[in-house]
Amino acid sequence: RKRVFGPREAQICIADALENAKSSAAALSATHSTPSHATSRHKTPRAQAAFGASSDARAAKIGLSQKQRAAIRKRGKEKEEKMPRQAKGKRGQSPPAATTNFANQKAASQAATNSLNSLRRVDPSIVEILASATHATLYNFGADQEWERADVEGPLFIAARNAHPRVRLVVLNRLSMTNMVEDVDETFELEVVDRYLIFRRSDDETRIRGLWFHSLEEHARMGEILERLVEEAQQPPPPPPPAAPAVAASLMGALSVNEPAAPLLSPSLFAPPAPAP
């Protein structure tokens, strides 16, 4: 049977329970409590900050006056203002990489010189690189109306020469020692389609080839330059300048009796004067 408590008995039980709880809490705190000097000795500054110890409280423990604390704060602000902006980044943020324009320009110049030397080993008449692409692949248009990949791929160059023809298209082959060399002259025909530069010669229309580009930007740039060069190559050459008239070596040579020659001046100037009327 359950025991039924009256109001008075219930109040007595609640009071006893509260008293027992207070005594248990006091005993537990007395068991785990340590002296304040021991706690401050074993805690690091970061741990003290985590437990709510401020900089002012730590300064007070070592005996600093209010004026000394103000001077320390002022010195810290001045030091922070003198710090460069790059050092004030967020935690974990790496400083921006320094730009080395001079080093980049030097590397680009060295790469251009190496490419020109490689082209001169293929054609000693090459004097300048007009344009280049990092990678191009050569395809042949077969009799079955399908593109067949040739064993030629590598960097593509539009090179200027000091002989005829003045412009050449060169692919330095990375797959073998056989490079692609194509003259850009009046017989060179070009068409720009998708990623291809399709070309053939007017004297051999059955042989159609194409250069495929991985980069659309390089394809557009090289196609624009080649179209302009082909248009210039197909224009008729300018007429030669008129030849200068032949002039006698000297006046005595022109008046020589043994070998008569055309006089330098009009014959009337050398005739005797007419008698006066």
Side-chain angles (χ1 to χ4, degrees), residues 194-229:
D194 296 335
R195 288 178 178 263
Y196 285 91
L197 294 182
I198 302 174
F199 58 93
R200 68 178 182 181
R201 312 202 72 84
S202 58
D203 52 1
D204 187 10
E205 297 183 354
T206 59
R207 188 184 184 190
I208 302 175
R209 292 181 291 174
L211 287 170
W212 183 87
F213 291 80
H214 177 74
S215 172
L216 288 175
E217 180 183 355
E218 291 182 344
H219 170 262
R221 177 170 52 84
M222 298 293 283
E224 181 181 357
I225 296 173
L226 266 180
E227 284 180 335
R228 188 165 63 247
L229 292 173

PDB file of all heavy atoms in Angstrom, residues 194-229:
ATOM      1  N   ASP A 194      35.385  26.073 -87.753  1.00  0.00           N
ATOM      2  CA  ASP A 194      35.372  25.525 -86.387  1.00  0.00           C
ATOM      3  C   ASP A 194      36.753  25.674 -85.736  1.00  0.00           C
ATOM      4  O   ASP A 194      37.268  26.764 -85.604  1.00  0.00           O
ATOM      5  CB  ASP A 194      34.912  24.066 -86.396  1.00  0.00           C
ATOM      6  CG  ASP A 194      33.464  23.935 -86.866  1.00  0.00           C
ATOM      7  OD1 ASP A 194      32.726  24.919 -86.713  1.00  0.00           O
ATOM      8  OD2 ASP A 194      33.085  22.873 -87.382  1.00  0.00           O
ATOM      9  N   ARG A 195      37.345  24.533 -85.350  1.00  0.00           N
ATOM     10  CA  ARG A 195      38.676  24.566 -84.739  1.00  0.00           C
ATOM     11  C   ARG A 195      39.782  24.301 -85.756  1.00  0.00           C
ATOM     12  O   ARG A 195      40.932  24.088 -85.375  1.00  0.00           O
ATOM     13  CB  ARG A 195      38.773  23.522 -83.617  1.00  0.00           C
ATOM     14  CG  ARG A 195      37.985  23.873 -82.360  1.00  0.00           C
ATOM     15  CD  ARG A 195      38.118  22.758 -81.343  1.00  0.00           C
ATOM     16  NE  ARG A 195      37.424  23.064 -80.105  1.00  0.00           N
ATOM     17  CZ  ARG A 195      37.993  23.573 -79.018  1.00  0.00           C
ATOM     18  NH1 ARG A 195      39.285  23.827 -79.021  1.00  0.00           N
ATOM     19  NH2 ARG A 195      37.289  23.811 -77.932  1.00  0.00           N
ATOM     20  N   TYR A 196      39.455  24.277 -87.043  1.00  0.00           N
ATOM     21  CA  TYR A 196      40.415  23.926 -88.082  1.00  0.00           C
ATOM     22  C   TYR A 196      40.843  25.162 -88.872  1.00  0.00           C
ATOM     23  O   TYR A 196      40.068  26.111 -89.068  1.00  0.00           O
ATOM     24  CB  TYR A 196      39.799  22.920 -89.055  1.00  0.00           C
ATOM     25  CG  TYR A 196      39.693  21.510 -88.525  1.00  0.00           C
ATOM     26  CD1 TYR A 196      38.547  21.082 -87.866  1.00  0.00           C
ATOM     27  CD2 TYR A 196      40.733  20.608 -88.686  1.00  0.00           C
ATOM     28  CE1 TYR A 196      38.436  19.790 -87.387  1.00  0.00           C
ATOM     29  CE2 TYR A 196      40.628  19.311 -88.221  1.00  0.00           C
ATOM     30  CZ  TYR A 196      39.484  18.901 -87.568  1.00  0.00           C
ATOM     31  OH  TYR A 196      39.380  17.627 -87.095  1.00  0.00           O
ATOM     32  N   LEU A 197      42.071  25.114 -89.345  1.00  0.00           N
ATOM     33  CA  LEU A 197      42.555  25.976 -90.413  1.00  0.00           C
ATOM     34  C   LEU A 197      42.802  25.069 -91.610  1.00  0.00           C
ATOM     35  O   LEU A 197      43.805  24.347 -91.664  1.00  0.00           O
ATOM     36  CB  LEU A 197      43.846  26.705 -90.008  1.00  0.00           C
ATOM     37  CG  LEU A 197      43.752  27.719 -88.873  1.00  0.00           C
ATOM     38  CD1 LEU A 197      45.106  28.376 -88.628  1.00  0.00           C
ATOM     39  CD2 LEU A 197      42.709  28.785 -89.173  1.00  0.00           C
ATOM     40  N   ILE A 198      41.881  25.047 -92.580  1.00  0.00           N
ATOM     41  CA  ILE A 198      41.954  24.159 -93.721  1.00  0.00           C
ATOM     42  C   ILE A 198      42.675  24.889 -94.852  1.00  0.00           C
ATOM     43  O   ILE A 198      42.345  26.037 -95.167  1.00  0.00           O
ATOM     44  CB  ILE A 198      40.543  23.727 -94.155  1.00  0.00           C
ATOM     45  CG1 ILE A 198      39.845  23.036 -92.975  1.00  0.00           C
ATOM     46  CG2 ILE A 198      40.602  22.797 -95.361  1.00  0.00           C
ATOM     47  CD1 ILE A 198      38.400  22.695 -93.248  1.00  0.00           C
ATOM     48  N   PHE A 199      43.660  24.224 -95.458  1.00  0.00           N
ATOM     49  CA  PHE A 199      44.426  24.884 -96.508  1.00  0.00           C
ATOM     50  C   PHE A 199      44.761  23.878 -97.611  1.00  0.00           C
ATOM     51  O   PHE A 199      44.788  22.658 -97.412  1.00  0.00           O
ATOM     52  CB  PHE A 199      45.719  25.489 -95.943  1.00  0.00           C
ATOM     53  CG  PHE A 199      46.638  24.508 -95.268  1.00  0.00           C
ATOM     54  CD1 PHE A 199      47.663  23.882 -95.963  1.00  0.00           C
ATOM     55  CD2 PHE A 199      46.471  24.204 -93.921  1.00  0.00           C
ATOM     56  CE1 PHE A 199      48.503  22.986 -95.347  1.00  0.00           C
ATOM     57  CE2 PHE A 199      47.315  23.296 -93.288  1.00  0.00           C
ATOM     58  CZ  PHE A 199      48.339  22.688 -94.003  1.00  0.00           C
ATOM     59  N   ARG A 200      45.007  24.430 -98.792  1.00  0.00           N
ATOM     60  CA  ARG A 200      45.451  23.674 -99.953  1.00  0.00           C
ATOM     61  C   ARG A 200      46.163  24.645-100.888  1.00  0.00           C
ATOM     62  O   ARG A 200      46.178  25.856-100.673  1.00  0.00           O
ATOM     63  CB  ARG A 200      44.276  23.002-100.664  1.00  0.00           C
ATOM     64  CG  ARG A 200      43.329  23.975-101.329  1.00  0.00           C
ATOM     65  CD  ARG A 200      42.225  23.273-102.059  1.00  0.00           C
ATOM     66  NE  ARG A 200      41.350  24.228-102.734  1.00  0.00           N
ATOM     67  CZ  ARG A 200      40.281  23.891-103.447  1.00  0.00           C
ATOM     68  NH1 ARG A 200      39.935  22.620-103.558  1.00  0.00           N
ATOM     69  NH2 ARG A 200      39.541  24.813-104.033  1.00  0.00           N
ATOM     70  N   ARG A 201      46.719  24.084-101.960  1.00  0.00           N
ATOM     71  CA  ARG A 201      47.402  24.901-102.954  1.00  0.00           C
ATOM     72  C   ARG A 201      46.601  24.876-104.250  1.00  0.00           C
ATOM     73  O   ARG A 201      45.986  23.869-104.604  1.00  0.00           O
ATOM     74  CB  ARG A 201      48.825  24.391-103.188  1.00  0.00           C
ATOM     75  CG  ARG A 201      49.610  24.134-101.908  1.00  0.00           C
ATOM     76  CD  ARG A 201      51.088  24.155-102.157  1.00  0.00           C
ATOM     77  NE  ARG A 201      51.558  25.504-102.397  1.00  0.00           N
ATOM     78  CZ  ARG A 201      51.864  26.366-101.404  1.00  0.00           C
ATOM     79  NH1 ARG A 201      51.732  26.011-100.134  1.00  0.00           N
ATOM     80  NH2 ARG A 201      52.279  27.579-101.707  1.00  0.00           N
ATOM     81  N   SER A 202      46.605  26.006-104.939  1.00  0.00           N
ATOM     82  CA  SER A 202      45.831  26.103-106.174  1.00  0.00           C
ATOM     83  C   SER A 202      46.382  25.192-107.268  1.00  0.00           C
ATOM     84  O   SER A 202      45.640  24.783-108.163  1.00  0.00           O
ATOM     85  CB  SER A 202      45.805  27.549-106.670  1.00  0.00           C
ATOM     86  OG  SER A 202      47.134  28.030-106.888  1.00  0.00           O
ATOM     87  N   ASP A 203      47.663  24.829-107.207  1.00  0.00           N
ATOM     88  CA  ASP A 203      48.240  23.938-108.205  1.00  0.00           C
ATOM     89  C   ASP A 203      48.087  22.466-107.826  1.00  0.00           C
ATOM     90  O   ASP A 203      48.496  21.587-108.591  1.00  0.00           O
ATOM     91  CB  ASP A 203      49.718  24.264-108.419  1.00  0.00           C
ATOM     92  CG  ASP A 203      50.492  24.305-107.106  1.00  0.00           C
ATOM     93  OD1 ASP A 203      49.879  24.053-106.049  1.00  0.00           O
ATOM     94  OD2 ASP A 203      51.708  24.591-107.132  1.00  0.00           O
ATOM     95  N   ASP A 204      47.527  22.166-106.642  1.00  0.00           N
ATOM     96  CA  ASP A 204      47.273  20.786-106.219  1.00  0.00           C
ATOM     97  C   ASP A 204      46.020  20.798-105.342  1.00  0.00           C
ATOM     98  O   ASP A 204      46.080  20.707-104.113  1.00  0.00           O
ATOM     99  CB  ASP A 204      48.486  20.224-105.456  1.00  0.00           C
ATOM    100  CG  ASP A 204      48.321  18.739-105.148  1.00  0.00           C
ATOM    101  OD1 ASP A 204      47.382  18.123-105.689  1.00  0.00           O
ATOM    102  OD2 ASP A 204      49.125  18.219-104.357  1.00  0.00           O
ATOM    103  N   GLU A 205      44.856  20.894-105.998  1.00  0.00           N
ATOM    104  CA  GLU A 205      43.601  21.055-105.264  1.00  0.00           C
ATOM    105  C   GLU A 205      43.108  19.753-104.649  1.00  0.00           C
ATOM    106  O   GLU A 205      42.200  19.773-103.820  1.00  0.00           O
ATOM    107  CB  GLU A 205      42.529  21.621-106.198  1.00  0.00           C
ATOM    108  CG  GLU A 205      42.851  23.019-106.719  1.00  0.00           C
ATOM    109  CD  GLU A 205      41.745  23.587-107.575  1.00  0.00           C
ATOM    110  OE1 GLU A 205      40.787  22.823-107.848  1.00  0.00           O
ATOM    111  OE2 GLU A 205      41.831  24.761-107.959  1.00  0.00           O
ATOM    112  N   THR A 206      43.662  18.635-105.019  1.00  0.00           N
ATOM    113  CA  THR A 206      43.211  17.353-104.462  1.00  0.00           C
ATOM    114  C   THR A 206      43.777  17.090-103.074  1.00  0.00           C
ATOM    115  O   THR A 206      43.217  16.289-102.324  1.00  0.00           O
ATOM    116  CB  THR A 206      43.615  16.204-105.396  1.00  0.00           C
ATOM    117  OG1 THR A 206      45.047  16.200-105.543  1.00  0.00           O
ATOM    118  CG2 THR A 206      42.969  16.375-106.767  1.00  0.00           C
ATOM    119  N   ARG A 207      44.852  17.738-102.738  1.00  0.00           N
ATOM    120  CA  ARG A 207      45.477  17.524-101.429  1.00  0.00           C
ATOM    121  C   ARG A 207      44.989  18.608-100.464  1.00  0.00           C
ATOM    122  O   ARG A 207      45.400  19.761-100.545  1.00  0.00           O
ATOM    123  CB  ARG A 207      46.998  17.566-101.543  1.00  0.00           C
ATOM    124  CG  ARG A 207      47.705  17.163-100.265  1.00  0.00           C
ATOM    125  CD  ARG A 207      49.204  17.328-100.403  1.00  0.00           C
ATOM    126  NE  ARG A 207      49.895  16.850 -99.215  1.00  0.00           N
ATOM    127  CZ  ARG A 207      51.184  17.037 -98.968  1.00  0.00           C
ATOM    128  NH1 ARG A 207      51.933  17.696 -99.860  1.00  0.00           N
ATOM    129  NH2 ARG A 207      51.748  16.580 -97.857  1.00  0.00           N
ATOM    130  N   ILE A 208      44.106  18.218 -99.570  1.00  0.00           N
ATOM    131  CA  ILE A 208      43.518  19.153 -98.596  1.00  0.00           C
ATOM    132  C   ILE A 208      43.991  18.739 -97.214  1.00  0.00           C
ATOM    133  O   ILE A 208      43.894  17.572 -96.821  1.00  0.00           O
ATOM    134  CB  ILE A 208      41.980  19.138 -98.670  1.00  0.00           C
ATOM    135  CG1 ILE A 208      41.516  19.498-100.082  1.00  0.00           C
ATOM    136  CG2 ILE A 208      41.397  20.108 -97.665  1.00  0.00           C
ATOM    137  CD1 ILE A 208      40.025  19.389-100.283  1.00  0.00           C
ATOM    138  N   ARG A 209      44.489  19.685 -96.477  1.00  0.00           N
ATOM    139  CA  ARG A 209      44.971  19.430 -95.116  1.00  0.00           C
ATOM    140  C   ARG A 209      44.375  20.447 -94.160  1.00  0.00           C
ATOM    141  O   ARG A 209      43.878  21.511 -94.575  1.00  0.00           O
ATOM    142  CB  ARG A 209      46.499  19.476 -95.069  1.00  0.00           C
ATOM    143  CG  ARG A 209      47.160  18.341 -95.806  1.00  0.00           C
ATOM    144  CD  ARG A 209      48.662  18.392 -95.721  1.00  0.00           C
ATOM    145  NE  ARG A 209      49.219  19.517 -96.463  1.00  0.00           N
ATOM    146  CZ  ARG A 209      50.504  19.835 -96.450  1.00  0.00           C
ATOM    147  NH1 ARG A 209      51.353  19.120 -95.716  1.00  0.00           N
ATOM    148  NH2 ARG A 209      50.942  20.851 -97.153  1.00  0.00           N
ATOM    149  N   GLY A 210      44.435  20.128 -92.882  1.00  0.00           N
ATOM    150  CA  GLY A 210      43.880  21.009 -91.863  1.00  0.00           C
ATOM    151  C   GLY A 210      44.682  20.943 -90.585  1.00  0.00           C
ATOM    152  O   GLY A 210      45.214  19.885 -90.225  1.00  0.00           O
ATOM    153  N   LEU A 211      44.758  22.074 -89.902  1.00  0.00           N
ATOM    154  CA  LEU A 211      45.414  22.163 -88.590  1.00  0.00           C
ATOM    155  C   LEU A 211      44.340  22.321 -87.528  1.00  0.00           C
ATOM    156  O   LEU A 211      43.526  23.258 -87.583  1.00  0.00           O
ATOM    157  CB  LEU A 211      46.391  23.342 -88.559  1.00  0.00           C
ATOM    158  CG  LEU A 211      47.683  23.166 -89.362  1.00  0.00           C
ATOM    159  CD1 LEU A 211      48.431  24.489 -89.455  1.00  0.00           C
ATOM    160  CD2 LEU A 211      48.575  22.109 -88.716  1.00  0.00           C
ATOM    161  N   TRP A 212      44.323  21.400 -86.552  1.00  0.00           N
ATOM    162  CA  TRP A 212      43.353  21.431 -85.466  1.00  0.00           C
ATOM    163  C   TRP A 212      43.997  22.066 -84.238  1.00  0.00           C
ATOM    164  O   TRP A 212      45.133  21.741 -83.883  1.00  0.00           O
ATOM    165  CB  TRP A 212      42.874  20.027 -85.132  1.00  0.00           C
ATOM    166  CG  TRP A 212      41.824  19.986 -84.059  1.00  0.00           C
ATOM    167  CD1 TRP A 212      40.477  20.112 -84.204  1.00  0.00           C
ATOM    168  CD2 TRP A 212      42.047  19.788 -82.649  1.00  0.00           C
ATOM    169  NE1 TRP A 212      39.837  20.019 -82.991  1.00  0.00           N
ATOM    170  CE2 TRP A 212      40.781  19.824 -82.017  1.00  0.00           C
ATOM    171  CE3 TRP A 212      43.193  19.605 -81.866  1.00  0.00           C
ATOM    172  CZ2 TRP A 212      40.637  19.671 -80.641  1.00  0.00           C
ATOM    173  CZ3 TRP A 212      43.044  19.451 -80.502  1.00  0.00           C
ATOM    174  CH2 TRP A 212      41.783  19.483 -79.892  1.00  0.00           C
ATOM    175  N   PHE A 213      43.260  22.975 -83.572  1.00  0.00           N
ATOM    176  CA  PHE A 213      43.765  23.699 -82.409  1.00  0.00           C
ATOM    177  C   PHE A 213      42.976  23.291 -81.172  1.00  0.00           C
ATOM    178  O   PHE A 213      41.741  23.169 -81.213  1.00  0.00           O
ATOM    179  CB  PHE A 213      43.629  25.216 -82.611  1.00  0.00           C
ATOM    180  CG  PHE A 213      44.541  25.786 -83.654  1.00  0.00           C
ATOM    181  CD1 PHE A 213      44.224  25.684 -85.000  1.00  0.00           C
ATOM    182  CD2 PHE A 213      45.713  26.426 -83.297  1.00  0.00           C
ATOM    183  CE1 PHE A 213      45.054  26.200 -85.968  1.00  0.00           C
ATOM    184  CE2 PHE A 213      46.556  26.953 -84.259  1.00  0.00           C
ATOM    185  CZ  PHE A 213      46.228  26.834 -85.601  1.00  0.00           C
ATOM    186  N   HIS A 214      43.693  23.094 -80.092  1.00  0.00           N
ATOM    187  CA  HIS A 214      43.032  22.820 -78.807  1.00  0.00           C
ATOM    188  C   HIS A 214      42.453  24.099 -78.212  1.00  0.00           C
ATOM    189  O   HIS A 214      41.389  24.083 -77.594  1.00  0.00           O
ATOM    190  CB  HIS A 214      44.028  22.183 -77.830  1.00  0.00           C
ATOM    191  CG  HIS A 214      43.456  21.926 -76.475  1.00  0.00           C
ATOM    192  ND1 HIS A 214      42.565  20.904 -76.224  1.00  0.00           N
ATOM    193  CD2 HIS A 214      43.627  22.572 -75.286  1.00  0.00           C
ATOM    194  CE1 HIS A 214      42.224  20.916 -74.943  1.00  0.00           C
ATOM    195  NE2 HIS A 214      42.846  21.918 -74.353  1.00  0.00           N
ATOM    196  N   SER A 215      43.133  25.226 -78.398  1.00  0.00           N
ATOM    197  CA  SER A 215      42.698  26.502 -77.838  1.00  0.00           C
ATOM    198  C   SER A 215      41.906  27.279 -78.884  1.00  0.00           C
ATOM    199  O   SER A 215      42.400  27.526 -79.999  1.00  0.00           O
ATOM    200  CB  SER A 215      43.917  27.313 -77.372  1.00  0.00           C
ATOM    201  OG  SER A 215      43.534  28.628 -77.005  1.00  0.00           O
ATOM    202  N   LEU A 216      40.689  27.677 -78.534  1.00  0.00           N
ATOM    203  CA  LEU A 216      39.881  28.493 -79.444  1.00  0.00           C
ATOM    204  C   LEU A 216      40.483  29.878 -79.632  1.00  0.00           C
ATOM    205  O   LEU A 216      40.385  30.468 -80.710  1.00  0.00           O
ATOM    206  CB  LEU A 216      38.454  28.609 -78.897  1.00  0.00           C
ATOM    207  CG  LEU A 216      37.589  27.350 -78.989  1.00  0.00           C
ATOM    208  CD1 LEU A 216      36.259  27.588 -78.303  1.00  0.00           C
ATOM    209  CD2 LEU A 216      37.372  26.955 -80.443  1.00  0.00           C
ATOM    210  N   GLU A 217      41.092  30.413 -78.589  1.00  0.00           N
ATOM    211  CA  GLU A 217      41.710  31.736 -78.696  1.00  0.00           C
ATOM    212  C   GLU A 217      42.864  31.715 -79.692  1.00  0.00           C
ATOM    213  O   GLU A 217      42.987  32.608 -80.547  1.00  0.00           O
ATOM    214  CB  GLU A 217      42.196  32.187 -77.317  1.00  0.00           C
ATOM    215  CG  GLU A 217      42.848  33.556 -77.311  1.00  0.00           C
ATOM    216  CD  GLU A 217      43.371  33.936 -75.937  1.00  0.00           C
ATOM    217  OE1 GLU A 217      43.143  33.169 -74.987  1.00  0.00           O
ATOM    218  OE2 GLU A 217      44.002  34.998 -75.830  1.00  0.00           O
ATOM    219  N   GLU A 218      43.730  30.708 -79.618  1.00  0.00           N
ATOM    220  CA  GLU A 218      44.840  30.598 -80.559  1.00  0.00           C
ATOM    221  C   GLU A 218      44.331  30.347 -81.975  1.00  0.00           C
ATOM    222  O   GLU A 218      44.891  30.858 -82.954  1.00  0.00           O
ATOM    223  CB  GLU A 218      45.791  29.484 -80.121  1.00  0.00           C
ATOM    224  CG  GLU A 218      46.551  29.801 -78.846  1.00  0.00           C
ATOM    225  CD  GLU A 218      47.527  28.700 -78.476  1.00  0.00           C
ATOM    226  OE1 GLU A 218      47.403  27.584 -79.027  1.00  0.00           O
ATOM    227  OE2 GLU A 218      48.403  28.936 -77.640  1.00  0.00           O
ATOM    228  N   HIS A 219      43.266  29.555 -82.107  1.00  0.00           N
ATOM    229  CA  HIS A 219      42.700  29.290 -83.426  1.00  0.00           C
ATOM    230  C   HIS A 219      42.209  30.579 -84.074  1.00  0.00           C
ATOM    231  O   HIS A 219      42.488  30.842 -85.261  1.00  0.00           O
ATOM    232  CB  HIS A 219      41.556  28.283 -83.295  1.00  0.00           C
ATOM    233  CG  HIS A 219      40.739  28.117 -84.531  1.00  0.00           C
ATOM    234  ND1 HIS A 219      39.544  28.777 -84.717  1.00  0.00           N
ATOM    235  CD2 HIS A 219      40.951  27.374 -85.650  1.00  0.00           C
ATOM    236  CE1 HIS A 219      39.045  28.442 -85.891  1.00  0.00           C
ATOM    237  NE2 HIS A 219      39.874  27.594 -86.479  1.00  0.00           N
ATOM    238  N   ALA A 220      41.498  31.400 -83.325  1.00  0.00           N
ATOM    239  CA  ALA A 220      40.987  32.649 -83.885  1.00  0.00           C
ATOM    240  C   ALA A 220      42.118  33.613 -84.237  1.00  0.00           C
ATOM    241  O   ALA A 220      42.108  34.251 -85.299  1.00  0.00           O
ATOM    242  CB  ALA A 220      40.018  33.293 -82.897  1.00  0.00           C
ATOM    243  N   ARG A 221      43.110  33.708 -83.370  1.00  0.00           N
ATOM    244  CA  ARG A 221      44.216  34.644 -83.609  1.00  0.00           C
ATOM    245  C   ARG A 221      45.059  34.218 -84.815  1.00  0.00           C
ATOM    246  O   ARG A 221      45.369  35.036 -85.691  1.00  0.00           O
ATOM    247  CB  ARG A 221      45.082  34.745 -82.353  1.00  0.00           C
ATOM    248  CG  ARG A 221      46.302  35.636 -82.487  1.00  0.00           C
ATOM    249  CD  ARG A 221      46.946  35.844 -81.129  1.00  0.00           C
ATOM    250  NE  ARG A 221      47.199  34.610 -80.436  1.00  0.00           N
ATOM    251  CZ  ARG A 221      48.268  33.842 -80.621  1.00  0.00           C
ATOM    252  NH1 ARG A 221      49.199  34.223 -81.483  1.00  0.00           N
ATOM    253  NH2 ARG A 221      48.432  32.721 -79.949  1.00  0.00           N
ATOM    254  N   MET A 222      45.420  32.940 -84.888  1.00  0.00           N
ATOM    255  CA  MET A 222      46.236  32.464 -85.995  1.00  0.00           C
ATOM    256  C   MET A 222      45.456  32.520 -87.309  1.00  0.00           C
ATOM    257  O   MET A 222      46.022  32.834 -88.369  1.00  0.00           O
ATOM    258  CB  MET A 222      46.713  31.045 -85.723  1.00  0.00           C
ATOM    259  CG  MET A 222      47.607  30.906 -84.499  1.00  0.00           C
ATOM    260  SD  MET A 222      49.198  31.715 -84.684  1.00  0.00           S
ATOM    261  CE  MET A 222      50.046  30.544 -85.723  1.00  0.00           C
ATOM    262  N   GLY A 223      44.147  32.239 -87.270  1.00  0.00           N
ATOM    263  CA  GLY A 223      43.353  32.330 -88.483  1.00  0.00           C
ATOM    264  C   GLY A 223      43.266  33.750 -89.009  1.00  0.00           C
ATOM    265  O   GLY A 223      43.368  33.980 -90.227  1.00  0.00           O
ATOM    266  N   GLU A 224      43.112  34.718 -88.117  1.00  0.00           N
ATOM    267  CA  GLU A 224      43.043  36.116 -88.550  1.00  0.00           C
ATOM    268  C   GLU A 224      44.362  36.572 -89.178  1.00  0.00           C
ATOM    269  O   GLU A 224      44.376  37.241 -90.220  1.00  0.00           O
ATOM    270  CB  GLU A 224      42.688  36.993 -87.347  1.00  0.00           C
ATOM    271  CG  GLU A 224      42.567  38.471 -87.671  1.00  0.00           C
ATOM    272  CD  GLU A 224      42.249  39.299 -86.439  1.00  0.00           C
ATOM    273  OE1 GLU A 224      42.061  38.702 -85.351  1.00  0.00           O
ATOM    274  OE2 GLU A 224      42.200  40.534 -86.555  1.00  0.00           O
ATOM    275  N   ILE A 225      45.481  36.213 -88.567  1.00  0.00           N
ATOM    276  CA  ILE A 225      46.790  36.620 -89.099  1.00  0.00           C
ATOM    277  C   ILE A 225      47.048  35.954 -90.451  1.00  0.00           C
ATOM    278  O   ILE A 225      47.512  36.597 -91.410  1.00  0.00           O
ATOM    279  CB  ILE A 225      47.898  36.291 -88.090  1.00  0.00           C
ATOM    280  CG1 ILE A 225      47.714  37.113 -86.814  1.00  0.00           C
ATOM    281  CG2 ILE A 225      49.275  36.544 -88.688  1.00  0.00           C
ATOM    282  CD1 ILE A 225      48.658  36.741 -85.698  1.00  0.00           C
ATOM    283  N   LEU A 226      46.735  34.661 -90.559  1.00  0.00           N
ATOM    284  CA  LEU A 226      46.978  33.953 -91.824  1.00  0.00           C
ATOM    285  C   LEU A 226      46.095  34.486 -92.946  1.00  0.00           C
ATOM    286  O   LEU A 226      46.537  34.604 -94.099  1.00  0.00           O
ATOM    287  CB  LEU A 226      46.735  32.465 -91.628  1.00  0.00           C
ATOM    288  CG  LEU A 226      47.956  31.613 -91.283  1.00  0.00           C
ATOM    289  CD1 LEU A 226      47.552  30.159 -91.133  1.00  0.00           C
ATOM    290  CD2 LEU A 226      49.024  31.751 -92.346  1.00  0.00           C
ATOM    291  N   GLU A 227      44.844  34.802 -92.655  1.00  0.00           N
ATOM    292  CA  GLU A 227      43.967  35.365 -93.683  1.00  0.00           C
ATOM    293  C   GLU A 227      44.524  36.678 -94.222  1.00  0.00           C
ATOM    294  O   GLU A 227      44.484  36.938 -95.431  1.00  0.00           O
ATOM    295  CB  GLU A 227      42.563  35.572 -93.115  1.00  0.00           C
ATOM    296  CG  GLU A 227      41.757  34.291 -92.991  1.00  0.00           C
ATOM    297  CD  GLU A 227      40.379  34.544 -92.421  1.00  0.00           C
ATOM    298  OE1 GLU A 227      40.210  35.560 -91.703  1.00  0.00           O
ATOM    299  OE2 GLU A 227      39.469  33.735 -92.686  1.00  0.00           O
ATOM    300  N   ARG A 228      45.052  37.506 -93.329  1.00  0.00           N
ATOM    301  CA  ARG A 228      45.629  38.778 -93.781  1.00  0.00           C
ATOM    302  C   ARG A 228      46.886  38.549 -94.626  1.00  0.00           C
ATOM    303  O   ARG A 228      47.087  39.215 -95.654  1.00  0.00           O
ATOM    304  CB  ARG A 228      45.935  39.656 -92.569  1.00  0.00           C
ATOM    305  CG  ARG A 228      46.359  41.053 -92.931  1.00  0.00           C
ATOM    306  CD  ARG A 228      46.299  41.987 -91.737  1.00  0.00           C
ATOM    307  NE  ARG A 228      47.219  41.596 -90.698  1.00  0.00           N
ATOM    308  CZ  ARG A 228      46.837  41.145 -89.502  1.00  0.00           C
ATOM    309  NH1 ARG A 228      45.556  41.008 -89.213  1.00  0.00           N
ATOM    310  NH2 ARG A 228      47.738  40.825 -88.592  1.00  0.00           N
ATOM    311  N   LEU A 229      47.724  37.586 -94.233  1.00  0.00           N
ATOM    312  CA  LEU A 229      48.935  37.300 -95.001  1.00  0.00           C
ATOM    313  C   LEU A 229      48.612  36.694 -96.363  1.00  0.00           C
ATOM    314  O   LEU A 229      49.273  37.008 -97.369  1.00  0.00           O
ATOM    315  CB  LEU A 229      49.844  36.368 -94.203  1.00  0.00           C
ATOM    316  CG  LEU A 229      50.483  36.957 -92.944  1.00  0.00           C
ATOM    317  CD1 LEU A 229      51.219  35.878 -92.168  1.00  0.00           C
ATOM    318  CD2 LEU A 229      51.433  38.092 -93.301  1.00  0.00           C
TER     319      LEU A 229
END
